[in-house]
Amino acid sequence: MYAQEVKSTGRGVKTPEEMSAQERAFQARIDAGEKIEPKDWMPEGYRKTLIRQISQHAHSEVVGQLPEGNWITRAPTLERKAILLAKVQDEAGHGLYLYSAAETLGVSREELITDLLAGRAKYSSIFNYPTLTWADIGAVGWLVDGAAIVNQVALQRTSYGPYSRAMIRICKEESFHARQGFDIMMKMANGTAAQKAMAQDALNRLWWPALMMFGPPDAESVHSAQSMAWKIKVMTNDEGRQKFVDQTIPQIEYLGLEVPDCAARLNPETGHYSFTDPDWSEFFAVLKGNGPCNADRMRARNKAHDEGAWFREGLLAHAEKHQQAAE
Amino acid sequence: MFEFLLRMGDNTLVLGHRVSEWCGHAPVLEEDIALANIALDLIGQTRLWLGLAGEVEGQGRDADALAFRRDAWDFRNLLLVERPNRDFGHTLMRQFLFDLWHLDRLADLCRSADERVAGIAKKCVKEADYHLERSKDLIIRLGDGTDESHARMQAALEALWPYVGEMFTDDALDMEMADKGIAPLPSAQRARFGAALNGVLSQAMLTRPESDFARQGGRTGTHSEDLGHMLATMQFLQRAYPDARW
């Protein structure tokens, strides 16, 4: 998932006594593992939280094209170029499914995009980091898609039907993305000294932002409780982060690279790694717009939208003319 | 034969690269997806043509060596495909003019006396058919859209028109390929192209430019300034780290 700090109702979770009969019946359906469908009754807070989460996820897919697109024109072989093109095409496709899932909740893609372009909507903090070398393309596939998969696999069980189904489809493609990223890392880590240095550098830079993708620690995550009760979220931030660390550290070792966190240790009793928290002040700074690439990403999206206005208007005008002619 | 294959493979390589430059910057999400798809097809076709070119040459160069380790003067693509993207209208018009030529060319090559050439053409022709269907449809809709979309498409057509003629000129290599039954003369396509083009332009309310001036040179290695910049970007990693494998 590419959603962080999704605002929920802003209040605590209601007790059954505080709920109306309708709300109690809704919660009972959720608790029984039923899927909620677009025409079903739902609390307004559920609808709004879902719109925020799904649209944030969709925006992330769209903005996420930019850091990878940054290397499509410099991909080192025809095969790598083709694979990266296919991957970025998938991301754009994920954006489409997710906007469609959000539209089932009564908002339009246009409204959501307007919010993104005006800076009112969020997208994942990770895409505000630059891709500086070819190894970053490997690391993005491996770490960023790897972290996203941890969340998305869980989200296949989310309570909202259209979102859950979009996740099932997206997960199939994401696992290919993570594998292609790891494959690039394998080549780099086992390549020349310069390639290995690039691989280590990419890991060092992207490790911490990847950990941040899961959102702030549970103790400080103010919006999680209600989303968990509604099964909009099905795993806490810390659970996801731990799972990611546990699966990734052995992969780092397999690559022969150094774990960027010298305090990371496997606890043989629990089977989990202990690790250092990322710098949360950096995370909140990036969310506020002060990441290395926030301004560039939004400038690129706005430029594409503004310069494409004539294209969209031209197609609309043509469709209207022909509709009139047909009537 | 090697040169002929470069002409085919360099066209798809250079145009595929140009199209891929749009990634993440298209006017609407559906176009991001469509452009990535087209670039992907063209890069796939490049691997086939340049792969065969390397085999025919017999010097141990594969498709990557040909794509990433030749300088501009060794490229044999049409000047049309290296024209910069400029606005989306230019990109679409360039694609349409190329697709219209390309589909017809590939249909001819499906009947090549060289089985390897025919085999590649048969794989590529379905993709080219889809590319033309899409680019033709967009040219018609935008030409007959708003005043602005019409003006932009007309301007793109005029700017790219001098690069159309190169697709239909014959040289000694073309004569040799035609004699061997490998590929018909490019000039044989001119009338079919013209008729199909007129049909689309009239539906699109666009006016065919009158000039018959044809800028030439791409197919023999004399390119525009733009190609050097494109190669500087495209070939950066292979040039900067010649010992690396990726």
Side-chain angles (χ1 to χ4, degrees):
Chain A
M1 177 176 71
Y2 294 115
Q4 300 152 327
E5 287 282 273
V6 175
K7 283 203 178 95
S8 188
T9 57
R11 294 183 298 275
V13 182
K14 284 186 186 174
T15 62
E17 294 72 36
E18 290 167 332
M19 290 181 191
S20 67
Q22 217 169 12
E23 286 171 333
R24 266 197 302 276
F26 178 82
Q27 189 64 50
R29 290 187 64 196
I30 302 258
D31 294 341
E34 279 181 47
K35 293 282 180 251
I36 307 301
E37 295 299 333
K39 288 183 178 163
D40 297 348
W41 182 86
M42 60 186 80
E44 194 52 20
Y46 177 86
R47 196 181 71 86
K48 283 192 173 153
T49 308
L50 263 177
I51 291 174
R52 283 196 201 99
Q53 178 163 325
I54 299 174
S55 62
Q56 203 185 116
H57 191 162
H59 296 328
S60 300
E61 300 280 1
V62 171
V63 177
Q65 293 181 94
L66 298 171
E68 293 188 300
N70 182 38
W71 279 91
I72 282 184
T73 53
R74 289 177 289 173
T77 67
L78 295 171
E79 185 182 18
R80 291 288 179 205
K81 193 184 179 85
I83 293 171
L84 188 57
L85 271 165
K87 175 179 191 293
V88 179
Q89 185 190 25
D90 285 348
E91 312 288 7
H94 298 173
L96 268 188
Y97 307 152
L98 288 162
Y99 284 127
S100 302
E103 284 188 322
T104 64
L105 292 159
V107 280
S108 67
R109 193 202 321 179
E110 203 177 353
E111 289 170 72
L112 297 174
I113 289 176
T114 303
D115 284 348
L116 172 70
L117 297 177
R120 291 189 294 268
K122 279 189 277 190
Y123 55 89
S124 178
S125 56
I126 192 73
F127 300 117
N128 290 315
Y129 289 86
T131 50
L132 301 178
T133 72
W134 175 250
D136 287 22
I137 297 305
V140 165
W142 168 42
L143 299 175
V144 174
D145 291 66
I149 289 168
V150 168
N151 264 314
Q152 286 169 347
V153 165
L155 276 173
Q156 295 179 90
R157 293 181 280 115
T158 193
S159 62
Y160 189 57
Y163 192 28
S164 160
R165 290 188 288 273
M167 282 303 126
I168 291 168
R169 194 159 166 189
I170 287 173
C171 278
K172 287 185 189 150
E173 293 179 346
E174 291 288 358
S175 62
F176 148 73
H177 298 171
R179 279 205 302 277
Q180 70 85 33
F182 193 72
D183 186 58
I184 292 176
M185 293 306 282
M186 289 270 287
K187 269 276 187 331
M188 301 293 281
N190 295 303
T192 63
Q195 283 177 302
K196 188 164 184 179
M198 274 186 230
Q200 184 68 54
D201 172 65
L203 172 59
N204 293 350
R205 274 183 294 108
L206 287 164
W207 172 255
W208 305 105
L211 294 184
M212 294 176 199
M213 284 176 66
F214 295 90
D218 294 347
E220 292 163 37
S221 181
V222 287
H223 306 294
S224 288
Q226 180 63 71
S227 289
M228 295 284 290
W230 277 332
K231 293 190 188 161
I232 289 174
K233 216 173 155 165
V234 285
M235 188 172 57
T236 74
N237 296 352
D238 287 338
E239 282 166 1
R241 194 165 13 250
Q242 184 69 54
K243 202 164 189 305
F244 173 73
V245 169
D246 289 345
Q247 75 182 36
T248 307
I249 288 183
Q251 294 170 345
I252 297 174
E253 287 164 353
Y254 181 78
L255 287 170
L257 298 176
E258 279 178 36
V259 179
D261 178 0
C262 56
R265 292 279 179 282
L266 179 65
N267 179 332
E269 282 168 29
T270 61
H272 295 302
Y273 284 87
S274 59
F275 57 93
T276 308
D277 247 359
D279 175 0
W280 291 112
S281 66
E282 177 180 312
F283 172 73
F284 289 109
V286 174
L287 284 197
K288 282 201 181 108
N290 293 321
C293 300
N294 297 57
D296 292 339
R297 301 289 185 241
M298 290 318 296
R299 196 178 304 119
R301 288 313 308 162
N302 274 291
K303 183 169 182 281
H305 189 80
D306 294 347
E307 291 181 359
W310 72 269
F311 171 84
R312 297 188 300 274
E313 288 158 10
L315 294 185
L316 276 177
H318 180 82
E320 279 165 18
K321 276 186 212 177
H322 283 258
Q323 199 174 358
Q324 279 168 9
E327 278 164 9
Chain B
M1 181 73 172
F2 174 66
E3 290 270 319
F4 165 75
L5 293 167
L6 290 184
R7 286 180 178 183
M8 293 306 296
D10 287 346
N11 277 337
T12 51
L13 172 61
V14 171
L15 185 59
H17 186 96
R18 281 286 185 238
V19 174
S20 79
E21 290 172 352
W22 275 101
C23 181
H25 303 280
V28 66
L29 202 46
E30 284 82 350
E31 284 302 311
D32 273 318
I33 296 172
L35 291 174
N37 203 41
I38 289 166
L40 198 52
D41 288 345
L42 293 170
I43 297 304
Q45 296 179 11
T46 304
R47 292 171 72 187
L48 300 173
W49 290 121
L50 294 187
L52 181 57
E55 256 177 71
V56 166
E57 187 196 32
Q59 306 273 327
R61 291 201 284 183
D62 60 9
D64 284 330
L66 291 170
F68 295 96
R69 303 284 178 97
R70 279 179 303 150
D71 203 346
W73 60 43
D74 289 327
F75 273 71
R76 294 291 179 263
N77 58 280
L78 296 161
L79 293 175
L80 174 72
V81 296
E82 71 197 48
R83 298 309 300 148
N85 288 337
R86 305 204 191 283
D87 73 351
F88 205 65
H90 269 75
T91 294
L92 288 173
M93 186 57 77
R94 183 186 63 201
Q95 187 72 39
F96 166 66
L97 294 168
F98 177 77
D99 291 342
L100 194 57
W101 170 83
H102 193 216
L103 178 62
D104 193 46
R105 187 70 170 153
L106 289 171
D108 273 347
L109 294 182
C110 287
R111 297 185 294 274
S112 172
D114 187 301
E115 280 179 17
R116 296 165 303 177
V117 170
I120 294 176
K122 282 174 192 162
K123 280 187 193 158
C124 301
V125 77
K126 285 181 204 147
E127 292 170 349
D129 192 29
Y130 158 72
H131 297 173
L132 178 61
E133 189 185 316
R134 172 184 171 276
S135 61
K136 184 169 82 177
D137 176 59
L138 284 172
I139 297 298
I140 292 169
R141 287 155 72 190
L142 293 167
D144 182 22
T146 59
D147 290 347
E148 184 180 5
S149 72
H150 174 84
R152 282 178 183 264
M153 297 319 289
Q154 185 66 40
L157 177 61
E158 280 163 25
L160 293 167
W161 189 250
Y163 300 93
V164 169
E166 191 185 16
M167 299 193 279
F168 308 108
T169 48
D170 304 333
D171 63 11
L173 174 63
D174 296 313
M175 308 275 188
E176 190 194 332
M177 292 297 111
D179 284 347
K180 290 181 177 164
I182 292 173
L185 286 174
S187 58
Q189 284 184 257
R190 187 189 288 272
R192 290 195 298 269
F193 178 94
L197 177 70
N198 290 344
V200 175
L201 293 184
S202 85
Q203 278 182 274
M205 314 286 187
L206 296 171
T207 310
R208 182 172 168 158
E210 281 175 15
S211 162
D212 58 0
F213 174 73
R215 195 166 288 290
Q216 312 257 4
R219 291 178 0 121
T220 47
T222 307
H223 291 274
S224 63
E225 291 176 344
D226 299 298
L227 185 65
H229 292 281
M230 191 187 116
L231 296 184
T233 302
M234 186 176 92
Q235 298 179 338
F236 156 68
L237 282 172
Q238 291 259 1
R239 300 288 194 176
Y241 302 96
D243 302 330
R245 297 178 62 81
W246 306 94

